[in-house]
Amino acid sequence: MSMTYGPELEEMRTSLRKFTTEKLEPLARQIDATDQLPPEVVPLLAEGGYLGMRLPVANGGMDANLSTYCLVLEEMSRVHRVFNLLVSASSGMAPAAIAHLGTPEQQRKYLDGVVSGQRRGAFALTEPEAGSDSAAMKTRAERRNGKWVLNGRKHYINGGHKADFIVVMAVTDPFKKSRGGITAFVVEKGAPGFEVARIEGTMGSAVIQLAELNFNDCTLDDSAVLGEVGEGFKVAMSHLSEGRMGISAACIGTSDRLLEMSIEYAKGRHTFGKPLASRQAIQWMLADSAVELACARALTYGTLKSLELGEDVGVQPNMAKLHCSEMVGRIADRAVQIHGGMGIVKGFPVERFYRDVRHYRVGDGTSEVQRIVIARSLVGRGH
Ligand SMILES: Cc1cc2nc3c(=O)[nH]c(=O)nc-3n(C[C@H](O)[C@H](O)[C@H](O)COP(=O)(O)OP(=O)(O)OC[C@H]3O[C@@H](n4cnc5c(N)ncnc54)[C@H](O)[C@@H]3O)c2cc1C
């Protein structure tokens, strides 16, 4: 059982921690104070090589392995969820799908500029009537006069309103649906018939927003098809494990920071003449958080190692996502309790972390969906 990423990456953690503490921490305070993303954030992440770090070298990336990427997400998440989102969006579903399945022309057209932060992608799967049951999607792409015509609505799309290109899943064969009837398309900002219908604020930091996207006779050439016609659902599902490992790492990073802050506060705060840290009630909260975090590290780092070795990890990424996303909620709750009034005051990171981490149990497959997948691996699909 390993509680570390190994000597090489742990060495990298030291320099990353210096970067996040010295450069990102002041910006996180600025984000909370203004509810805006300071303009220097994206260039700073790009300069550090963190944007598009999982993309192949040919696309300007570093071809970073999954563990390195997760370490970066972990460290970014110790500071602010928005840094983790910027890094993961630049290596995540949309750019990764284009890097792996796109034609050379699509790669050049969409990925040039991702690493420098000049271009951004988004991934649109979820619909009002198709969330957990994504195969129930209704967005339709039909063939008309040698073109593809998209009609439908996607919602809760992370950064969809700021994206230069969006990988959109649409039904091309309603009889086959998820078994060969869904296709991935790349839709560019400003495409005729495509509009950002609404921008939703979310629980947590105001800079994290989700978009509702409408497609009304949005007409596309064949060159907009990503991969093969009918293979879209495979595209959507193929990167999910990676996404789950990234979320697990992010939850570990935030949990680590919250535990550290809780210990520090408990040592410094005196009530009835003694430090909080000397009280059993407080010690037990700290101990519970430390144990849960140790289990999260063992499961996550162990799964990452197996993935790198090409081993079959089965539902371990689902287990890691489930455990880590629920753990960070409990650790955030204990951190608020230990900090007392200070834990609920706006402008203090504990309060913001408490709200931000609630997203993790919903996005990228809810806790219930993870449990369904894990349980099916135990009892079989028929039950
Ligand atoms: C921060 C954030 C970012 C997101 N970003 C994106 C994005 O970029 N692109 C994108 O396409 N989508 C995105 N989503 C959408 C996300 O994938 C969906 O919200 C999620 O899949 C759940 O779908 P839903 O909201 O429709 O909930 P529903 O599917 O309606 O579920 C509602 C509740 O019922 C439970 N439930 C559903 N079915 C079952 C069942 N069979 N048994 C037991 N319980 C069940 C769920 O677990 C949940 O608790 C994002 C969501 C969040 C929160």
Side-chain angles (χ1 to χ4, degrees), residues 81 123-128 130-133 155-158 202 208 210 359 362-369 372:
R81 181 158 182 261
F123 187 79
L125 175 70
T126 306
E127 299 183 4
S132 300
D133 184 10
H155 76 167
Y156 304 157
I157 309 307
N158 209 344
T202 60
I208 299 172
L210 306 177
H359 292 215
V362 178
D364 284 71
T366 63
S367 284
E368 290 71 28
V369 167
I372 291 169

